[in-house]
Structures are given as structure tokens and as C-alpha cells.
Amino acid sequence: MKLVSTLALAAVMTIASTNPALADNHQDAEADTTMADDGVPGPDEDPYIWLEEARSERALAWVENENERTLAALENDPRFETLKAEALAIYDSEDRIPFVSFRPDGLYNFWQDKQNPKGLLRRTTLESYQTEEPEWETVLDVDALAAKEGREWVYKGSTCLPPALTKCMIALSDGGEDATILREFDTSTKSFVEDGFVLEEKSQGGVQWVDADTLMVGRDFGSNTLTDSEYPFTTRIWKRGTDIADAPEIYRGKPSDVWAGASLLRDNTGTIHARMAMRGTSFHEAQHFVQKDGEWVKLDIPLKASPYGIVDDHLLYTTDVDWEADGQTFPADSLVAVDLEAWKADPNGAAKTLVWAPGERQTKRGGAVTGNALFVQLLDNVIGKVLQFNHVDGEWVSEEVELPDNATVGIAASSAETDQIMFTVTDFLNPTTLYYADGGTAPRPIKNSPAYFDPAGMDAEQHEATSADGTKIPYFIVKPKGMAMDGETPVLMSGYGGFQIPRLPAYLGSTGKLWLENGGAYVLANLRGGGEFGPGWHQTAIRENKQRTWDDFIAVGQDLVDRGFTSPDHLGIQGGSQGGLLVGTAFTQRPDLFGAAIVQIPLFDMLRYHLIGRGASWIGEYGDPRIPEQRAWIEQYSPYQKIEVGVEYPTPFLWASTADDRTHPAHARKGAARLKELDQPYYYFEDMTGGHSGGVDNEQRAKLQALQYVYLMQQLMGDAF
């Protein structure tokens, strides 16, 4: 799917992933000898700083010992092999939907299965795709490439020159890190280009094509080119046949930025209308610029607003705050338009008009531009909708796309040349259905995911819990067949609550097979700090108010107990990245409320998080522990410091990835080490590959799933540690 936002394009130029979950900066632990003047703990206060060295011999020896202990306890459980086989059958399923992207030379899909664990980039025709067994043509075999070069390549996508999209820069990661190398690839010849563009030094950042012989590049170029958060803040123009070291710099942000870089403003035909730039002054705020007459002109828009894309000869903006302009106020989360030619002539003087504003409990999620329209995904009280927008007779008009009600709806793919578009429709108990439309008819289903578990007798309900400050927090519970309201049902509760990311109902797949079919219930909490109800829902639970997210999660857990769905001995919690921090705060603040806690690729030591990985980039979400006032917010909940002598905690399962260059494995490692120091029971496992986004093969994914569900069954279904 083509993302509409030019802010997203700028971010792609400067970071490998816009997922706000986070990255790995190998911190020199030896540089710290005592608590710094800024109050950040050093080795005198923290004996486990050495675990912040991701691949030191000492740290990896510690990991090996922990892995051996955990695998001996969990893999030897008689349920492990069955659970792993069931998960692997789902991941390797040949009849799952092969999601595609539209390109002029076909529909492209990246596919992993038992025979191709690292994956195939392949293509087919629209006609063939709509059959039960499409005929696929392999474009790139990542397994063959990895075997030939002796590397653990993980395919991280491609950036291609529009409109033909045959000249591409392929991104590859060794072992799953976010940092990638980039190589020029020709999809028409299905081969890497001899003497083509190549960036073999791994780095965060990316490229955009200017033309067939020119790239715009934002990477690590050496000294004074990375921010304090270890992201690029410069952009260069690289001509074919020249050395990247000689490429002229066209834009430079500041080292204090989270990230910065230039990008191209293109319409859906590939025509370039402007050079843009952005400086991420915090994770949630940015300054935007347009190049005019050789100068960078700052756009007069809020720090929480950004260009959204070009539709019907208009440039659209999106804003996360109320925006006063031209004598009117555009509400937070609205879309605002300016005439494109007027904007190019006078970027800050073009008249602004409202395209769309959210209703109560509505928020937009993202969109796509086809040949003639804009499609925007909405959440309406956590229920999905899609609106189609067009500019007709001087006015913006919209209509709702005809898709099933009471489901999670998404845009799966769209064509820039035509009005072809695909949508997904799903919920907890019903497999995903893929719909197709060509602009002339209503969407029709063309593919269905297989059912991976039997939903007979299962039911999904929505309830509300009351948080500590009285706010009502919605959550979903999916009940197994025959669930009794006696407090004995094992419940797995999940949440996120950060970075304006919503957690939505989606087909449970492996969770349904491995957990629901075995008598467990599943709960999804919609916490403040997330994006389920728009920017305000997020902004009310950041920085000095981040405790609200943790309160919301605890309130949902307490509500489950109070309603008789479960009891503390049978209530488990699970979350990854920011969600791992969520789980860490929950089991350290209310150890009496939970019987199990899965802490995945987490943040955990929040007094040093700005020094670990890309932590400095998330100060906009959590605050800066170097500033006394803000450190006071953070130290009230930082799980690592909250593990205390004399408290009986539920036995947690912490796991991480050595290759995670977002949150970094140090957080989970240090949490486990602290628990061990206090003779608290725990499990720890570290995957040596995969990275933060889990770019491992299906065999390893199945193993991780089985380990977690064996752990949950041991903790919540009566088996001793």
C-alpha cells in the first residue's frame, strides 16, 4: 500500500521503520564510572550495565546460560511439541492470503513458507491472482541469496522509481536488525544491477529515486551526520557513477533532532512537485520545510501537523492538534487542503479548506491515493470504516465504502494508475477476507484466510473498566467455549497504550488454536496513550501523565476479577516493546493481581533508556531522566528500579532478540538479572536473530509461540514453576 503522508516519506528517508516501537545503539558502558551529574545511574548504582553491550563475550555467555535453563524447563514440557507443530502449521499454511501490492508489471507478494523460510519476492497478474491457485513468477529468492553469500538476510522491502517501479533499491538486513544495506535491483530482469547503486555499510535511513540516475539518500555518512538518537539528519543527492562520499549535501538538520531529512513530494503519477524536508524536534513534533528558489522555507503549520499527500490537484495536511488558520479552527485529527499550484507559488499563503473532521470517538488511521480518489481508514468507536474522498465542483465530497459492519477494516493495496484497491475485513473469531474494487463497482470478496481454530461456542464481548481517575477504559474479551463465571478461567490480557498506535480486533489465528481451544480467554485493552480514539486519547497519557496508561491496564485487570471472568492466579498479561514496558509496570505495581507476565522485547530500565538503543528518540513520549522534574515522573514506574526485596512477584517470562536494534536486549536482560539477584523465579530467553520486528523464519516464530503458551499453561493452569 502506498502511504499518503509525505511526513511518512520523510521519515522513510531518515529511519528504517516508522513503527514507534524503537532501536539499538551499542552503548559504551565503560564510559560511565559513577552516577552522572544528571542523576542517571552509573555502574556504582547499577551492577548490570555490562549487559547493555549487545554482543560482548560476557553478555552472550550470560544469554547462553539463561537460554539453556529456560529451554530445559519449557521445551521439556509434554505440550511443547504439539503447540509448536500447531503454530508452524498456521505459519506455513499454503492457503493463507498472499497479500500484494499493485505495480504496473503485476501484483507483487513477499512469501515465506517451509520451503522458503527467508522468503520469495514474486509477482502474478490480477487475473491469475483471483484464481484459487495463482501462477507466481519469482523475482528474488532471498534464501538463495543468503545461501550464496553466507548471510542471514532478512528482506526489508524496496523503494522503486515511479511510475514504472522497475528500478528499485532493495533493503536487506543481516539477522533482522532495522539497519540495512541497499542494492539496486531491476525487476524487469529479476537481477541486481551490475555496477549499480550499492550501499553495503549497514545504516538506519533510506533513499528515494529522483530519476533513473539519481538518488536522494539519508544515511549514516560518518562524523556529524547522526542525531543524538542515532538517526540520520542529513540528506545527499547521489548521481550514478559517482562515489557516495562525494555526493553533495542538500539538507542538514541538527544533532539534537530525533531525526531529520529531505524527501520528494510526488503525486500519484510520480511527478515531483517539490522538495520537502522535516526536522523531528521530538518523536511527536516536527518542523516542515519546502525548497523554493533554492531556499528552505519553513511551513507555517503546527508542530503536530504534517503534509499528507496530493489528491485532485490539492495538497492535504493532517493535524493532531487544533489548528487556527485563515480565520478558522481546524479540529485535531482533521484533513485540511490547499490548492497545489497556489501552494507552490506561496507555501504559507495558500487558502486552506476543511476536507474532513472527526466526529465523537472517531479517528483516521491512514489512507491511500488511487488514480482518481483518496481513501481514508477510520475508527468509529473502535469499529472500522473506509471513506472515499473526491474534489467535485470546488467542494470535497465523501462517501463510505460498502464493507461489512462491526469489523476491523483496512486498506491492503491500491493502484496509483487506476482506481483498483483492496480492503481487509476481520475480527477476533472470523478469518480475514480480502475485498477488491476497481472504481466502478462495490468491493467484492476475492480471497479468504482459512480458519485456524474452531470458534464454535466462543464469543466476543466489549466491556468498560474504570481507571484510577474515573475514565472509562474499553476492552474486549473473547470467551472460550463453555466458559463459566467462576473466576477459574485462565485469561491472557494484552495491550499497548503508546505512540498513538491503536490495538484493534483481528483474527486470533495462533492464539485461537493454542490458547482459546485449550480453554483460555483472551482480552484486548484499549488504553490511553494509544490511538483508538484519536490524538487526544494519546496525548492525555504521555510524559508526566504516562502513569495513566499503566493505571488503565491495571483497571482492566481488576475489572476482569471483579466481574468473575478470572482471578489473579489465572490472569496473565502480555505485551511487546512499549507493551513490554506496560507489562513490566503492571506486575511491579500490582504483583498481587497477576499470575503470569510475558515481557517481550521491552523497555524496562527507564532511568537509562535514553542511553540504550534509540531511547533518546522517545523522550517525547516518556520524558528525559536527565532532567530532575521529568526523572521524578519516570522513577515512579520504571520496572527495573521497582523490583524490590521482600515482594512476591508473579513469575515473569522476559524475552528479547540479540539483533534488536530498536529497544535493545539490555532491558529484558537487566530485568532478569535483577530478579535473579533477589532469588525471584523468572524465565529469560533471547533469540539470536529476528530483530525488533521479528524477522525470523516460521520455524523460529513457532518455537517462540510454543514457549510462551507452555509458560502460560504452567503458570495459569496449575503447573508449578
Side-chain angles (χ1 to χ4, degrees):
M1 189 183 83
K2 294 175 297 302
L3 295 178
V4 179
S5 173
T6 53
L7 172 59
L9 292 177
V12 168
M13 287 295 297
T14 54
I15 56 175
S17 170
T18 57
N19 183 326
L22 337 177
D24 169 36
N25 158 26
H26 300 296
Q27 183 68 30
D28 182 5
E30 300 303 321
D32 294 310
T33 58
T34 185
M35 180 174 280
D37 292 339
D38 57 15
V40 175
D44 287 348
E45 295 78 28
D46 183 354
Y48 302 115
I49 286 178
W50 58 274
L51 287 170
E52 295 175 15
E53 293 289 342
R55 298 184 184 274
S56 73
E57 290 186 11
R58 184 184 180 192
L60 291 180
W62 181 91
V63 168
E64 183 177 0
N65 288 335
E66 292 294 324
N67 282 359
E68 288 178 359
R69 185 183 72 86
T70 294
L71 293 178
L74 299 181
E75 284 188 328
N76 289 328
D77 187 291
R79 293 166 291 200
F80 174 79
E81 291 299 335
T82 298
L83 292 170
K84 179 182 175 183
E86 289 174 340
L88 187 59
I90 292 172
Y91 295 141
D92 279 343
S93 172
E94 296 287 338
D95 53 357
R96 68 187 189 274
I97 295 177
F99 291 102
V100 296
S101 60
F102 286 96
R103 297 192 189 183
D105 60 341
L107 276 60
Y108 277 67
N109 162 258
F110 184 71
W111 182 262
Q112 292 173 284
D113 58 21
K114 186 175 183 179
Q115 290 73 37
N116 307 280
K118 296 188 184 302
L120 298 173
L121 180 64
R122 57 186 191 170
R123 64 190 171 204
T124 189
T125 65
L126 177 62
E127 180 181 6
S128 180
Y129 183 71
Q130 296 181 79
T131 66
E132 290 189 7
E133 296 185 4
E135 296 182 2
W136 295 100
E137 176 188 10
T138 298
V139 178
L140 174 64
D141 185 332
V142 181
D143 292 273
L145 178 67
K148 178 182 177 181
E149 299 185 356
R151 307 288 289 275
E152 291 294 329
W153 288 132
V154 174
Y155 177 73
K156 290 285 189 173
S158 63
T159 303
C160 304
L161 174 64
L165 303 179
T166 57
K167 289 183 177 293
C168 301
M169 292 296 286
I170 297 285
L172 298 169
S173 165
D174 194 359
E177 295 177 330
D178 282 348
T180 62
I181 69 161
L182 295 167
R183 297 176 182 173
E184 186 177 358
F185 189 88
D186 190 331
T187 62
S188 61
T189 63
K190 299 181 291 185
S191 63
F192 288 100
V193 176
E194 186 175 356
D195 298 324
F197 287 114
V198 175
L199 292 168
E200 287 289 349
E201 291 292 328
K202 70 177 183 180
S203 171
Q204 300 280 340
V207 300
Q208 280 185 283
W209 290 88
V210 180
D211 55 43
D213 296 308
T214 312
L215 292 176
M216 185 178 285
V217 185
R219 302 280 283 181
D220 178 358
F221 296 117
S223 177
N224 199 29
T225 63
L226 293 182
T227 67
D228 297 339
S229 300
E230 298 291 330
Y231 289 113
F233 70 90
T234 70
T235 303
R236 299 184 181 189
I237 292 292
W238 188 18
K239 292 286 188 179
R240 188 179 298 278
T242 65
D243 192 319
I244 184 64
D246 298 326
E249 184 177 288
I250 64 163
Y251 184 76
R252 172 173 287 264
K254 295 182 178 181
S256 59
D257 295 337
V258 174
W259 45 62
S263 64
L264 299 170
L265 178 63
R266 277 190 162 104
D267 62 23
N268 62 309
T269 69
T271 300
I272 298 172
H273 290 273
R275 282 185 181 177
M276 306 286 290
M278 61 86 74
R279 290 183 50 224
T281 53
S282 79
F283 196 93
H284 303 297
E285 297 177 320
Q287 296 176 358
H288 292 270
F289 304 83
V290 60
Q291 193 172 54
K292 185 171 175 57
D293 300 326
E295 300 292 330
W296 289 105
V297 177
K298 183 180 176 182
L299 295 179
D300 185 16
I301 63 177
L303 289 174
K304 291 184 178 179
S306 62
Y308 192 74
I310 295 174
V311 182
D312 288 338
D313 298 320
H314 286 75
L315 173 65
L316 270 58
Y317 290 103
T318 179
T319 178
D320 280 351
V321 293
D322 289 351
W323 179 8
E324 294 184 8
D326 296 350
Q328 56 188 316
T329 299
F330 301 107
D333 211 19
S334 59
L335 289 173
V336 179
V338 295
D339 179 83
L340 180 60
E341 292 304 316
W343 177 85
K344 288 161 68 173
D346 184 0
N348 287 319
K352 301 172 182 65
T353 58
L354 180 68
V355 178
W356 175 84
E360 186 178 1
R361 296 178 79 81
Q362 283 188 335
T363 183
K364 65 182 185 304
R365 292 182 56 209
V369 178
T370 64
N372 297 291
L374 166 67
F375 292 83
V376 176
Q377 302 169 192
L378 301 182
L379 287 178
D380 191 342
N381 201 23
V382 201
I383 300 299
K385 296 180 179 180
V386 176
L387 296 184
Q388 177 180 338
F389 291 85
N390 294 92
H391 194 250
V392 179
D393 296 330
E395 295 184 354
W396 289 96
V397 297
S398 67
E399 60 179 334
E400 185 175 341
V401 177
E402 296 180 30
L403 292 166
D405 296 327
N406 299 317
T408 298
V409 176
I411 300 172
S414 63
S415 169
E417 298 179 309
T418 69
D419 284 330
Q420 293 174 311
I421 189 166
M422 294 182 184
F423 307 97
T424 54
V425 177
T426 188
D427 60 36
F428 290 119
L429 300 177
N430 293 291
T432 300
T433 298
L434 184 67
Y435 285 74
Y436 168 80
D438 61 7
T441 58
R444 59 182 174 84
I446 59 170
K447 289 193 179 294
N448 293 281
S449 286
Y452 294 126
F453 63 94
D454 182 3
M458 298 180 184
D459 187 32
E461 300 174 352
Q462 188 177 32
H463 297 278
E464 286 186 334
T466 303
S467 195
D469 63 357
T471 301
K472 299 297 183 181
I473 307 302
Y475 68 90
F476 296 93
I477 181 169
V478 184
K479 297 179 177 180
K481 181 178 180 180
M483 177 176 169
M485 297 292 288
D486 58 4
E488 297 296 312
T489 301
V491 170
L492 174 59
M493 182 170 78
S494 180
Y496 190 75
F499 298 95
Q500 205 171 320
I501 294 176
R503 288 290 308 276
L504 306 174
Y507 187 58
L508 289 174
S510 59
T511 297
K513 184 65 180 177
L514 278 62
W515 185 245
L516 293 174
E517 281 195 358
N518 284 302
Y522 176 78
V523 170
L524 177 62
N526 299 130
L527 313 172
R528 285 177 291 179
E532 291 86 351
F533 299 105
W537 190 250
H538 166 244
Q539 293 166 20
T540 192
I542 62 174
R543 293 170 62 81
E544 69 269 27
N545 294 317
K546 196 62 199 171
Q547 179 62 38
R548 290 175 178 171
T549 302
W550 324 140
D551 289 343
D552 293 355
F553 196 57
I554 289 168
V556 172
Q558 187 65 58
D559 196 69
L560 293 168
V561 173
D562 293 345
R563 290 178 186 267
F565 288 130
T566 191
S567 58
D569 287 344
H570 302 292
L571 176 56
I573 49 179
Q574 177 186 42
S577 191
Q578 146 69 21
L581 173 60
L582 172 72
V583 171
T585 60
F587 88 77
T588 54
Q589 293 186 18
R590 284 295 307 275
D592 60 308
L593 185 57
F594 307 107
I598 298 178
V599 186
Q600 304 170 202
I601 50 173
L603 291 168
F604 208 77
D605 179 1
M606 296 303 290
L607 293 187
R608 286 183 58 86
Y609 86 98
H610 63 294
L611 299 173
I612 303 171
R614 295 301 193 275
S617 66
W618 316 316
I619 285 172
E621 184 80 9
Y622 303 113
D624 190 338
R626 294 167 294 189
I627 299 172
E629 178 188 5
Q630 299 183 23
R631 184 168 64 251
W633 314 333
I634 298 167
E635 62 189 0
Q636 292 301 310
Y637 66 75
S638 179
Y640 180 54
Q641 285 77 23
K642 286 298 179 181
I643 298 174
E644 299 173 343
V645 176
V647 179
E648 184 177 347
Y649 298 101
T651 300
F653 180 12
L654 302 98
W655 68 263
S657 169
T658 312
D660 180 0
D661 58 350
R662 292 194 206 173
T663 51
H664 196 286
H667 287 281
R669 291 174 179 178
K670 292 171 68 175
R674 176 64 174 159
L675 289 163
K676 184 176 183 178
E677 175 190 337
L678 300 184
D679 293 324
Q680 292 279 352
Y682 69 94
Y683 288 118
Y684 181 84
F685 179 75
E686 186 168 316
D687 183 16
M688 301 300 289
T689 60
H692 190 80
S693 57
V696 293
D697 60 33
N698 291 343
E699 178 83 17
Q700 189 71 351
R701 290 190 185 98
K703 176 180 177 177
L704 287 169
Q705 283 278 289
L707 290 174
Q708 292 175 83
Y709 284 108
V710 165
Y711 158 79
L712 288 170
M713 291 174 181
Q714 289 183 356
Q715 301 302 310
L716 304 180
M717 295 182 177
D719 289 353
F721 174 68

